[in-house]
């Protein structure tokens, strides 16, 4: 809650919320004003789950790329990054870097 009181997403600049479990990583783009989830991506999608022999950091990188592609289709260019209290390294950092490489602006 300490983080979310300062971070708010709108329809033009949604909040990119990250959830990290022990095996998977999930990302949502949320419009806080209308309380709507605009997009979501996770490491359980068919493109990623079919690949074998990749570690969790590489999975997060693929999720970031998929999210950036979905954002381009919807016309979303910039987001507010909500790391949900996780440290900004490892899987969270690789996801954010891949989304930036895909064209998202934080």
């Amino acid at each position: 809650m300490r983080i979310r009181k300062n971070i708010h997403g709108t329809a033009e600049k949604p909040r990119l919320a990250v959830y990290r479990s022990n095996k998977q990583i999930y990302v949502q783009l949320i419009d806080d004003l209308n309380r709507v989830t605009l997009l979501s991506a996770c490491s359980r999608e068919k493109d990623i789950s079919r690949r074998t022999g990749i570690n969790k950091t590489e999975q997060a990188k693929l999720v970031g790329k998929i999210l950036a592609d979905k954002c381009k289709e919807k016309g979303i260019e910039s987001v507010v990054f909500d790391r949900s209290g996780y440290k900004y390294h490892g899987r969270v950092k690789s996801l954010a870097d891949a989304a930036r490489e895909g064209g998202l602006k934080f």
Side-chain angles (χ1 to χ4, degrees):
M1 293 310 291
R2 284 186 288 173
I3 294 170
R4 294 219 182 100
K5 71 180 178 184
N6 296 323
I7 297 175
H8 299 288
T10 62
E12 297 82 30
K13 195 170 183 178
R15 176 170 56 99
L16 191 149
V18 176
Y19 174 70
R20 186 185 66 149
S21 71
N22 286 338
K23 293 185 179 183
Q24 310 294 334
I25 191 158
Y26 304 89
V27 181
Q28 290 182 332
L29 285 180
I30 302 169
D31 177 7
D32 289 319
L33 296 178
N34 297 323
R35 297 181 181 183
V36 176
T37 300
L38 303 173
L39 289 175
S40 67
C42 70
S43 57
R44 297 181 68 184
E45 293 185 10
K46 291 181 182 179
D47 298 339
I48 299 171
S49 64
R50 289 183 183 159
R51 297 185 184 203
T52 58
I54 61 174
N55 61 19
K56 293 186 278 188
T57 307
E58 293 169 355
Q59 276 184 349
K61 202 176 281 190
L62 293 172
V63 171
K65 289 179 184 177
I66 289 172
L67 180 76
D69 293 339
K70 286 183 178 182
C71 286
K72 282 183 185 177
E73 291 174 7
K74 285 259 187 164
I76 299 170
E77 297 177 357
S78 61
V79 296
V80 178
F81 189 65
D82 177 12
R83 57 186 174 82
S84 301
Y86 301 115
K87 290 183 179 179
Y88 187 78
H89 76 107
R91 291 192 276 165
V92 176
K93 184 176 188 239
S94 67
L95 183 136
D97 291 342
R100 281 190 188 105
E101 288 175 7
L104 281 180
K105 296 177 186 173
F106 289 32

